[in-house]
Amino acid sequence: DPAASRGGGVSRAMPLAAGFRHAPFSKLLFVSTLVFSFLLGSSPSIRLDLPRVLNKFELYRLASSHLGFASTPTVMLGVWLVYTCRQLERLLGPRSFACLLAFSYAVSTLLVVAAVVTFPALRPSPGPFASIYALLPLYYSLVPALSPAPFTVLGVGLSEKTWTYLVAGMVLLSDGAASVVPGLAGVTAGLLYQSELVGIGSLRVPARLEPAFAAVARLLDPPEDPRVAERRRQQQAAAQQQQQQQ
């Protein structure tokens, strides 16, 4: 795994806080996915139905289609991926992570709409594919394997991160083309965020939104010990520097 050999300082200083500590927006994504999946996942009103968006101005579908998965197995696997990728928020910091989620939502929505226009028979699966799959390119690059190759299969060294990619593949293929399209749109958004072509990776929450942002972050993640906070800031700076060098 390339993340095990790159950014050695980040690897040795990987945050080990349990649960969603220092990851308030990962927690929000985790909880909202569970709630909306079980409340609205089977409802046709959350699907991206482009004719209804255009003809009946049901613009809410552009947002509701990102809220919840339609099947229980996909929900369980999807929130597991969110929990696994929470490490990214600790490395990037909540402000950068929130911008990544917003960027992935905007880009993937445009890409999925373009796919539906190109293939009118396509009915994309609902769910936070954009957010989850946008995290995977950064997870691959920035989050090191705890053990580079604890076991092998047919001579190929595998790490605990391998299970993350396998689960991601299962969710991606869970509904055929209907899930592949929004999943790949999310991956594309993540790659764009990570690249230097658009310069999105340096964006932060606008200053005018800072008070509201800080209030939400405090609600989801209470203050921590100052010494622990300083170590976490150093880890975030190292991760951001590594991302800019790639």
Side-chain angles (χ1 to χ4, degrees):
D1 196 318
S5 59
R6 291 183 296 180
V10 176
S11 174
R12 290 188 294 271
M14 188 66 189
L16 298 176
F20 286 101
R21 187 64 175 165
H22 316 315
F25 290 95
S26 296
K27 179 193 292 186
L28 182 62
L29 178 60
F30 182 95
V31 173
S32 64
T33 298
L34 281 176
V35 171
F36 285 114
S37 294
F38 286 115
L39 291 181
L40 302 174
S42 60
S43 173
S45 64
I46 71 169
R47 287 184 173 270
L48 179 60
D49 189 330
L50 197 56
R52 298 183 72 90
V53 171
L54 298 177
N55 299 329
K56 297 188 175 183
F57 300 101
E58 296 181 358
L59 300 179
Y60 69 87
R61 291 177 180 270
L62 296 175
S64 66
S65 60
H66 292 271
L67 295 179
F69 292 110
S71 67
T72 300
T74 308
V75 175
M76 296 296 99
L77 294 176
V79 295
W80 183 85
L81 287 172
V82 173
Y83 184 80
T84 299
C85 291
R86 75 197 187 284
Q87 302 169 74
L88 280 174
E89 184 171 1
R90 295 173 181 159
L91 287 171
L92 299 176
R95 288 167 175 76
S96 294
F97 190 81
C99 288
L100 168 59
L101 294 182
F103 176 76
S104 66
Y105 162 77
V107 171
S108 63
T109 299
L110 291 174
L111 292 176
V112 171
V113 167
V116 174
V117 170
T118 305
F119 304 99
L122 179 65
R123 293 293 182 267
S125 296
F129 289 94
S131 301
I132 293 174
Y133 283 88
L135 299 178
L136 291 179
L138 283 83
Y139 176 83
Y140 176 81
S141 299
L142 297 179
V143 176
L146 297 179
S147 301
F151 55 92
T152 61
V153 174
L154 300 178
V156 178
L158 304 176
S159 72
E160 82 284 347
K161 291 179 66 177
T162 304
W163 303 111
T164 303
Y165 306 137
L166 289 176
V167 170
M170 293 170 62
V171 174
L172 184 70
L173 300 175
S174 60
D175 198 17
S179 55
V180 168
V181 169
L184 292 183
V187 171
T188 302
L191 291 173
L192 286 174
Y193 178 90
Q194 193 177 22
S195 73
E196 296 294 331
L197 298 179
V198 291
I200 297 297
S202 60
L203 289 182
R204 301 293 182 272
V205 174
R208 68 182 63 181
L209 298 180
E210 280 287 346
F213 180 92
V216 172
R218 282 196 301 271
L219 179 65
L220 295 172
D221 189 25
E224 61 184 337
D225 181 271
R227 291 171 296 182
V228 176
E230 179 59 28
R231 288 197 297 270
R232 179 171 57 84
R233 283 192 290 268
Q234 293 174 358
Q235 293 164 3
Q236 292 169 0
Q240 291 170 356
Q241 183 178 8
Q242 178 184 351
Q243 181 183 354
Q244 293 171 357
Q245 292 174 349
Q246 291 176 352

